[in-house]
Amino acid sequence: MGLWTFLEGLLLLANAFAVLNENRFLAPRGWSFSEFSGPKAKSLKGQVIGLIYAIQYMRLPLIALNCLFIIVKLVSG
């Protein structure tokens, strides 16, 4: 496993977090961002929810990274 494969795995994980819908998936399971404000935000669950929302906020750079990875894969084979 090389560095490129590791970066591809991280990109796939970021894509998985980016497509999670709050109303249909996160809120029914108690993972809504509005529930974790104040002292609850310091917990591990609060940190993971913050990470999910940060990734969802950065969708346009994520799309650009996906395009870059696709182009590199097409060129390098």
Side-chain angles (χ1 to χ4, degrees):
M1 182 172 125
L3 178 63
W4 185 256
T5 307
F6 180 70
L7 291 175
E8 281 181 328
L10 288 177
L11 183 65
L12 288 172
L13 186 65
N15 284 327
F17 283 141
V19 298
L20 292 176
N21 189 325
E22 181 179 2
N23 295 331
R24 291 185 358 194
F25 182 77
L26 297 174
R29 288 161 179 80
W31 286 64
S32 176
F33 191 67
S34 61
E35 295 176 14
F36 285 91
S37 59
K40 286 186 177 181
K42 302 285 185 199
S43 68
L44 179 63
K45 189 175 180 181
Q47 294 289 322
V48 170
I49 291 171
L51 175 68
I52 291 171
Y53 279 90
I55 291 172
Q56 288 179 349
Y57 180 74
M58 299 296 286
R59 281 186 195 215
L60 288 178
L62 190 59
I63 292 170
L65 275 175
N66 281 314
C67 291
L68 177 71
F69 270 69
I70 290 169
I71 291 170
V72 169
K73 284 294 246 186
L74 285 174
V75 170
S76 67

